[in-house]
Amino acid sequence: MRSSCALLLSLAWASAFRAPAPTRVAPPLRATAQEISALTGGVETVFTLEEVQKILPHRYPFALVDKVVAYEPGESAVGIKQITFNEPQFGGHFPDRPIMPGVMQIEALAQLAGVVCLQMEGAEPGAVFFFAGVDGVKWKRPVVPGDTLVMEVEITNWKAKFGIAKATGRAYVDGNLAVEVGAMTFALAK
């Protein structure tokens, strides 16, 4: 009798601390590709990949902004990074469970901030912003191949005389926060 009680107690204890099963919202059973594609129909592209490449110096394999979908000159931007298994970091991070490295998520946010900063007064065409610091980073979930990383950055301070910018950033996957950066600092190379 005592062992039965102990078994029931241990099962109850284990189930009390088990993570709840994730809930997923699936498209309608017979959704077509056209219907699923229409879910993003209202999202316009402000800067295409080609236009982003005219602003940023980054190239494969380190170009981490695929397009910009919202832009407020000198203030903020929302950009997209499609995560694909074909990216070189996934061969070793990790071979049996590919995860986008956290530092690359931060770099993607920094590049998006660069799209804003490199178009501000005081930034000459062809200028380069260097990443000078980062504080207050919090990762909330893994970013994996197949995800769409939707990033937003806000420029919080710009000192054109010194070529110094500060920004905050967040990135989401499926509407859920994946990474948050409290402060990024950039220095304009002169």
Side-chain angles (χ1 to χ4, degrees):
M1 173 92 148
R2 185 174 180 132
S3 63
S4 297
C5 287
L7 177 60
L8 287 174
L9 185 58
S10 67
L11 289 174
W13 181 265
S15 66
F17 292 98
R18 187 174 304 132
T23 57
R24 293 186 181 246
V25 177
L29 203 49
R30 293 182 179 226
T32 66
Q34 181 181 12
E35 291 168 332
I36 294 170
S37 175
L39 296 173
T40 59
V43 179
E44 295 184 29
T45 298
V46 177
F47 296 123
T48 64
L49 175 63
E50 292 81 10
E51 292 167 323
V52 169
Q53 288 184 331
K54 288 178 184 173
I55 300 166
L56 295 178
H58 305 83
R59 295 296 181 265
Y60 176 85
F62 212 61
L64 300 174
V65 177
D66 293 331
K67 65 181 175 179
V68 175
V69 296
Y71 173 69
E72 189 68 36
E75 293 185 26
S76 62
V78 175
I80 306 292
K81 167 66 177 129
Q82 300 290 343
I83 312 303
T84 70
F85 185 70
N86 294 327
E87 296 172 44
Q89 68 271 12
F90 293 126
H93 196 273
F94 296 98
D96 294 329
R97 185 169 183 217
I99 296 173
M100 182 180 191
V103 294
M104 292 187 79
Q105 294 171 38
I106 296 168
E107 175 64 24
L109 287 164
Q111 288 182 23
L112 182 60
V115 169
V116 180
C117 291
L118 289 170
Q119 297 182 85
M120 293 171 63
E121 184 179 325
E124 300 295 324
V128 177
F129 261 70
F130 290 106
F131 206 165
V134 63
D135 289 305
V137 178
K138 296 177 184 172
W139 286 275
K140 300 295 187 173
R141 66 168 306 240
V143 177
V144 299
D147 284 345
T148 299
L149 194 64
V150 181
M151 307 171 288
E152 63 183 1
V153 295
E154 181 181 344
I155 306 306
T156 57
N157 195 345
W158 166 237
K159 295 185 187 315
K161 180 179 178 180
F162 301 106
I164 303 291
K166 291 202 177 263
T168 62
R170 286 165 296 288
Y172 301 84
V173 172
D174 297 331
N176 298 307
L177 185 62
V179 61
E180 181 174 27
V181 178
M184 295 179 280
T185 305
F186 305 94
L188 177 65
K190 296 194 177 206

